[in-house]
Amino acid sequence: MSRSTKKMTTAARTRWAAVTGVAAVGAGVALGELLAAVVSPGVSPVTALGGAVIDAVPPVVKDLAVAWFGTADKVVLIACIGLVTLALAAVAGILEDRRTGTGVALAALAGAAGLTAVLTRAQAGQLAVLAPVAATLLAIVLLRFLIRRLAAWRPVSGAATEAVPLARRSFLTAVGITAAGAALAGTATAVIRRAGSLADSARKAFALPSPATPAQAIPPGAAVDLPGVSPLVTPNPDFYRIDTALIVPTISPQDWTLKVTGLVEREIQLSFDELLAKPMTARHITIACVSNEVGGDLIGNALWLGWPVRELLAMARPKEGADMVLSVSSDGWTAGTPLEALTDDRDALLAVGMNGEALPLEHGFPVRMIVPGLYGYVSATKWLTELKVTRFADDAGYWTPRGWSALGPIKTQSRIDVPRGGARVAAGTVQFGGVAWAQHRGITKVELRVDQGPWQEAVLAPGISTDTWVQWRLGLDLTPGEHEVQVRATDAAGTPQIAERTPVAPDGATGYHTVTVTAG
Ligand SMILES: Nc1nc2c(c(=O)[nH]1)N[C@H]1C(S)=C(S)[C@@H](COP(=O)(O)O)O[C@H]1N2
Ligand SMILES: [Mo]
């Protein structure tokens, strides 16, 4: 009898089960970290767990950790999380080997902890949940698969068979491939993080110039004092993110140039330093996504700092017949913007600043375009590298051949933020509040109605400008029972919001945001 066909001792089998657990969970964690590095650089399952631990431990422990480890305290924390994960992974392997499903349950529990940690991080975007979910699923699938192979190799009881050497090779190969995959994912993560951290240090290194044209003052009372209404200015970590970039482009400002090409008298190339030296304009501008459903949250208001696009185009002098500017991103994505919207007196910006800091990497660092009044897909190009002056007849932005309209003016819309749909409220006067927007036209009226009754005019807070959303509030008398409440806005031209419900494609949803609340 050769060594490889001997019956496996329980101790040896347990050791292999532990190794299996570590390989399976390791591969899952590695995939999760890689995915996070790509889609949500700010938050990964492991760093989220670290953050959650920091938030959870009492201050004394924190002080002790700093006293013992100094600035290495975070490295020590991550190492501890790594060790605990390894131990749990080994236990999961052993459990799964003893009783099918138990190791999987432990892995699922740990995955749920990772997901919870990610969800509790303030800087977690919508994509951040992908990483812990994918990590858990992969760990579970690999755990079951590998443990089954282990069992086939060395039954603890029963006679060895002819097939055993084959089963041994099959098990070891599978574990080896799993470990190699985990190592590869780990290396890729390190490379991506390094590129990201280089761009991020460049991002932190430069000071935003102060604006030659400062932002308009926010009028007193612009934010209604009603809990639950979205903040007047959206903090960067909460700002919605929409793009086709699988990997967030990391552009070093030194290497960045903006080219103006196409139908122009003079082609221009601009460096980042040259751009920063231009007289900057600061403006609050609300941008929105064409894919925003009625009542949706793909909209945000920020203080942008940038150089007006019209000044750059004036230097380039567009030729007769040009009617569109195709703005190109470093990743090849494009938007087609009417030339008019970039040369008229609205403040279309080559933006470098967002709410007092350099653009976050995911929001287009180092330079993006922001155009009041147009949906993002036809105007808000992030990681901007080229402006090609052209004609709608000759060129189209990324989304146009994919079923979206060539022109994307933002439609007048309004949203009820509070109370939330499905809420239970006390009967009597209930305070409603929310936002309304019709960028570059402005909002003059917001009305609400209960159960299709008469429209009642809400109190409109003073807006920052016609380019930003406005907040509103209104107390409505609700009798006990279920009620349907609707909102509609009217723009400065006197045109009311469109009542008919239409889908987001091809040029933005219409219809009234409707919430149902129960008064009792
Ligand atoms: N390079 C690039 N820029 C882009 C996009 C994109 O996919 N790639 N998406 C656009 C769309 S559809 C919107 S709504 C806005 C969203 O900007 P935000 O992610 O900063 O909120 O970016 C625009 N700029
Ligand atoms: Mo969008």
Side-chain angles (χ1 to χ4, degrees), residues 60-221:
V60 267
V61 179
K62 242 177 273 186
D63 295 346
L64 265 184
V66 174
W68 286 346
F69 308 117
T71 49
D73 59 340
K74 297 219 172 48
V75 178
V76 173
L77 173 63
I78 297 293
C80 287
I81 291 176
L83 284 177
V84 172
T85 310
L86 275 183
L88 282 177
V91 171
I94 295 167
L95 282 178
E96 187 66 19
D97 187 39
R98 301 250 157 105
R99 209 186 151 145
T100 306
T102 50
V104 163
L106 179 59
L109 228 89
L115 177 62
T116 311
V118 165
L119 287 174
T120 57
R121 296 300 93 197
Q123 69 277 37
Q126 292 139 331
L127 290 174
V129 296
L130 281 180
V133 170
T136 311
L137 289 180
L138 183 68
I140 286 173
V141 167
L142 282 174
L143 190 60
R144 297 219 65 154
F145 172 79
L146 293 174
I147 288 290
R148 218 173 289 143
R149 300 227 148 176
L150 174 63
W153 167 27
R154 285 287 184 85
V156 172
S157 54
T161 67
E162 283 299 304
V164 162
L166 243 183
R168 170 179 189 266
R169 193 174 318 145
S170 144
F171 168 74
L172 291 179
T173 308
V175 169
I177 289 177
T178 303
L184 206 72
T187 311
T189 306
V191 170
I192 292 172
R193 286 224 179 115
R194 188 167 158 68
S197 75
L198 285 180
D200 210 46
S201 34
R203 193 187 154 253
K204 290 187 182 111
F206 87 93
L208 279 185
S210 43
T213 310
Q216 311 96 313
I218 297 182

Side-chain angles (χ1 to χ4, degrees), residues 240 242-243 288-292 298 333 375-378 380 399 404:
Y240 81 95
I242 294 286
D243 54 63
C289 184
V290 68
S291 298
N292 195 29
L298 301 181
W333 188 88
Y375 286 123
Y377 83 106
V378 290
W399 285 111
W404 297 81

